[in-house]
Amino acid sequence: MRWPESPAATRRGAFVAVAVALFCIQLDFFALNLALPGIAAELDVTVSAAQWTLSAYMLAIGCFFIIGGRTGDVCGRRVTLLVGIALFTAGSAGCALAPGLGLLVAARIVQGVGAAFVFPVSVSVITNAFPEQTRARALGAVFGVANIGTALGPFVGGGFTEGPGWRWIFWLMVPLGLLSLVTALLYVPDSRDPSAPRGLDLPGCALTVCGLAALTLAVERGDAWGWGSARTLGCLAVAAGGGGLFLVREGRARHPLIDLRLFRNLPYVLVTAMGSLSNMAYAVTVLLATLTLQGVRGLSPLLAGTVFLAPALMVAVSGPLGARLGRHLEPTPVMALAGAVAGTGMYALTEVTAWWLYVPVFAWCGLGLGLGYTFAGVATQQVVAPARAGEAAGVLLTFLVTSGAIALAGAAAAISATTPQRPPEEAYDALLRLGGAVLLSTALAVTAATAVRRRRTAPRRTDRAPLRHP
């Protein structure tokens, strides 16, 4: 069913449906981190067991990003968006009603699958609903609304957990999810890749789910299981085998899940690489800042959360800012600029001690990191054909989520390995400096690669005036 409306109303409705859906997903994820102790206490389980509510969600969302994006291209973005929102909303209600940990984890998996369909399809819905002149601005505004959910997540999670209870985090998602679902049902137009067959590469889907599930599970649980344990090594072996078979399958399939020629698109590869590094740096910086503010500087959780308001605000601003920059600059220079801002911010965080300087430096760092991983979603849509928008977004989001989880696991392992021999603050500073150096060097490399590509593709002049002889 579609409500008859003007093109302007269609665009407004599509924007509201997508923005509310992404806001819910971001708010839900970042709120639940602070609710783990409350979940463990009410369900009479350990905090380590309650951690599966996060791990199961990450498993589901990481495994189905590519499938969700390509399903939208093949079967229609509108129906895929509706299915994703419905799954996320139903999963939220299931989480709120779950009597035990097993059903809570199962409902979180349903949420994760829904979110994995919503995220890449949302990007392509906006890409296809808005004309080229306003597309980047609309995408930037959508990510800005989603980043508000990121900023509010810890406060909502902490407030509900200490107040009416952690279940209200999920109850909040239900009416918001229904609002997004009804709005999408009435206003979102349908679009799909007209050249794609009406079918999916099911063997490719199975291989990508198995490979990504094994990799995500190894990364998420490796620290608890032990990185040299049989379970962790077994998961990594399955991930490597599944990934190799997936590449072989996609290279031979008549209608592949991923067109591997996508990785011959240099701007797309550069944007994806910078976006993944930015997301890795964002995840690690949030972890290290939390440990520094509470463990080193001795702040209470509430005061530490207040300090996080400054970078959270900059992350929210980065969406519209990236859209504005994208109207005047090519995607790769914007990503390089984001890397330079974030890299200098991460390095500067290790040098400041005074509060009056720490907060603005933290905000500067948040601006660069937010611009890097947020604008990546906008930029990929500018460097691929709209017909393949969902596929490109799904691949990008898979890299973002997987790389972020790997970075967190690596940072936790590095801290555990170094803190017995040196003070914790030295380990935190070393990781921040390393991340800043990687971002700065990558920004320089992206700038150089863009310049070389521009020289190679520049048309040669053939209209030179002939030499005149006296």
Side-chain angles (χ1 to χ4, degrees):
M1 182 181 73
R2 284 284 318 283
W3 190 270
E5 71 285 322
S6 66
T10 296
R11 291 192 290 270
R12 286 194 298 269
F15 178 87
V16 170
V18 168
V20 172
L22 294 183
F23 173 84
C24 288
I25 293 170
Q26 294 294 95
L27 179 67
D28 170 270
F29 178 76
F30 286 93
L32 202 66
N33 282 277
L34 293 182
L36 288 182
I39 293 174
E42 180 176 331
L43 300 181
D44 195 23
V45 297
T46 64
V47 175
S48 178
Q51 177 73 27
W52 277 105
T53 59
L54 296 179
S55 297
Y57 182 84
M58 293 300 296
L59 277 169
I61 200 171
C63 292
F64 283 88
F65 265 144
I66 294 176
I67 296 173
R70 192 57 188 148
T71 299
D73 289 340
V74 173
C75 302
R77 282 122 191 181
R78 178 173 181 266
V79 66
T80 306
L81 178 67
L82 291 172
V83 170
I85 297 173
L87 284 173
F88 182 83
T89 306
S92 299
C95 290
L97 296 169
L101 182 62
L103 290 177
L104 177 60
V105 170
R108 286 288 285 169
I109 292 174
V110 174
Q111 269 193 312
V113 174
F117 276 67
V118 168
F119 251 111
V121 174
S122 293
V123 174
S124 52
V125 162
I126 297 297
T127 298
N128 286 275
F130 282 78
E132 186 175 356
Q133 304 92 307
T134 59
R135 185 179 299 153
R137 185 168 58 200
L139 284 169
V142 162
F143 284 118
V145 174
N147 287 335
I148 293 174
T150 302
L152 291 178
F155 292 94
V156 171
F160 279 171
T161 302
E162 294 183 10
W166 58 268
R167 295 180 186 273
W168 283 93
I169 298 172
F170 299 109
W171 282 127
L172 176 63
M173 299 299 107
V174 174
L176 292 176
L178 290 175
L179 170 64
S180 175
L181 182 64
V182 172
T183 306
L185 184 65
L186 295 177
Y187 290 103
V188 170
D190 197 15
S191 61
R192 60 168 53 87
D193 180 358
S195 65
R198 298 302 299 272
L200 288 173
D201 176 22
L202 295 181
C205 291
L207 287 171
T208 190
V209 168
C210 290
L212 288 172
L215 177 61
T216 307
L217 189 60
V219 170
E220 286 286 314
R221 307 302 298 173
D223 195 46
W225 290 344
W227 292 103
S229 68
R231 282 187 291 183
T232 303
L233 294 177
C235 286
L236 291 175
V238 171
L245 290 174
F246 175 74
L247 292 177
V248 172
R249 167 68 189 179
E250 296 308 284
R252 298 178 177 178
R254 183 179 180 184
H255 303 297
L257 185 66
I258 298 176
D259 188 347
L260 297 181
R261 289 176 297 179
L262 182 67
F263 298 104
R264 300 177 189 172
N265 184 334
L266 182 60
Y268 178 82
V269 171
L270 294 176
V271 166
T272 301
M274 278 300 299
S276 299
L277 285 175
S278 296
N279 196 51
M280 294 170 74
Y282 177 79
V284 172
T285 301
V286 168
L287 171 66
L288 296 177
T290 302
L291 295 174
T292 299
L293 291 174
Q294 298 186 46
V296 178
R297 296 182 178 260
L299 272 63
S300 67
L302 180 59
L303 188 54
T306 304
V307 174
F308 268 93
L309 281 176
L313 178 62
M314 290 297 100
V315 169
V317 169
S318 67
L321 175 63
R324 184 175 294 273
L325 290 173
R327 294 202 299 270
H328 304 287
L329 298 172
E330 293 182 3
T332 46
V334 177
M335 295 298 296
L337 174 63
V341 172
T344 55
M346 291 180 70
Y347 198 92
L349 279 176
T350 67
E351 301 295 331
V352 298
T353 55
W355 275 113
W356 64 270
L357 190 56
Y358 185 91
V359 173
V361 169
F362 198 12
W364 172 262
C365 185
L367 176 64
L369 294 172
L371 181 62
Y373 78 79
T374 298
F375 187 71
V378 180
T380 53
Q381 304 303 292
Q382 296 177 344
V383 297
V384 299
R388 311 289 295 192
E391 175 189 344
V395 173
L396 169 71
L397 290 168
T398 300
F399 275 104
L400 291 183
V401 171
T402 306
S403 62
I406 292 173
L408 277 177
I415 293 171
S416 299
T418 57
T419 47
Q421 293 81 25
R422 58 198 303 188
E425 55 268 30
E426 291 186 11
Y428 305 157
D429 289 347
L431 287 172
L432 284 172
R433 292 192 187 103
L434 175 62
V438 170
L439 282 176
L440 286 171
S441 59
T442 307
L444 290 174
V446 168
T447 302
T450 303
V452 170
R453 177 179 175 273
R454 190 174 296 164
R455 282 198 297 268
R456 287 180 176 176
T457 57
R460 297 181 178 179
R461 291 191 58 186
T462 58
D463 57 344
R464 295 177 179 174
L467 294 175
R468 295 184 179 182
H469 299 278

